Amino acid sequence: MQFFLDTGDLNEIKTAHSWGLIDGVTTNPSIVAKTGKDQMTLIREICEIIDGPISAEVIALDAPGMLKEAAELAKINKNVVIKLPMTKDGMIACKKLSADGVKTNVTLIFSANQALLAAKNGATYVSPFIGRLDDVGQTGMDLIAEIRTIFNNYGFETQILAASVRHSEHVKMSALAGADVATIPLKVLEGLFSHPLTKMGLDQFLADHAKSKK
Ligand code: E4P
């Protein structure tokens, strides 16, 4: 399973990268806005830190506009993945970019049928937003399992990128359900290290070691 970091904060990216755990990065317009930078600059800076898939989202709502933005973004680095919305125009752009060998990430996936459409049009990744489904009283994790079954049934190579991950249970359940990737905020990633028994065990070992030296 791959881990992407879901942020535009360069310090966070450097921190997670130093742990050796990060395979890529995802951004969206809200994440970019928080940094106060323009998207092109931010993506260029992220590409200097991480040598892996970096998702950058188009803003245009029409397919020609999406393709124009995608062409500019793709020029930044071979690792740039074009993030497209799950709309009819997004799917037109997805089909064209896939045919041209450009990697795509179809975002705002909230149903298995949406994921199926994206896979049929050659998406590299689909991003089911599990946390936002939980927020409206649905079980986001069920969606990951449904998409996994459908993709396995038909041999789709589109990767399932679990997004809108809010806590460590989401990571574990995504892994159990067979997501190919989880994109995770730094705080959630940090939480994966911890278990109270690990801390207690280490404290005990260090206390015993201190005694044995006397
Ligand atoms: C991923 O690609 C999305 O940008 C992100 O996971 C959305 O997460 P949120 O629902 O916490 O905003």
Side-chain angles (χ1 to χ4, degrees), residues 109-184:
I109 295 284
F110 292 98
S111 78
N113 281 334
Q114 290 179 321
L116 178 56
L117 298 182
K120 279 181 68 63
N121 274 13
T124 313
Y125 303 96
V126 285
S127 289
F129 276 35
I130 54 184
R132 292 192 194 187
L133 278 171
D134 290 354
D135 290 346
V136 295
Q138 296 184 39
T139 307
M141 208 46 62
D142 290 349
L143 178 57
I144 303 279
E146 286 177 0
I147 299 171
R148 181 72 281 154
T149 300
I150 291 169
F151 284 8
N152 289 352
N153 284 348
Y154 296 97
F156 285 120
E157 287 178 7
T158 300
Q159 296 187 51
I160 303 170
L161 198 174
S164 188
V165 166
R166 302 276 168 77
H167 47 71
S168 55
E169 198 64 9
H170 274 155
V171 178
K172 183 183 86 179
M173 296 303 287
S174 295
L176 285 170
D180 300 284
V181 190
T183 188
I184 312 174

Side-chain angles (χ1 to χ4, degrees), residues 5-16:
L5 204 66
D6 199 24
T7 187
D9 185 316
L10 299 183
N11 288 327
E12 290 189 2
I13 294 168
K14 284 177 191 161
T15 300

Side-chain angles (χ1 to χ4, degrees), residues 27 31 41 50 58 87 93 132 150 178:
T27 65
I31 286 174
T41 304
I50 301 289
V58 298
T87 59
R132 292 192 194 187
I150 291 169

Side-chain angles (χ1 to χ4, degrees), residues 70-118:
E72 287 306 304
L73 289 166
K75 271 189 221 159
I76 297 176
N77 191 290
K78 65 174 174 32
N79 287 332
V80 172
V81 176
I82 307 302
K83 212 168 176 189
L84 301 161
M86 169 37 74
T87 59
K88 287 174 188 155
D89 280 78
M91 288 307 90
I92 293 167
C94 182
K95 183 94 181 174
K96 172 81 174 89
L97 290 170
S98 304
D100 293 349
V102 177
K103 291 202 168 83
T104 55
N105 174 358
V106 178
T107 189
L108 293 166
I109 295 284
F110 292 98
S111 78
N113 281 334
Q114 290 179 321
L116 178 56
L117 298 182

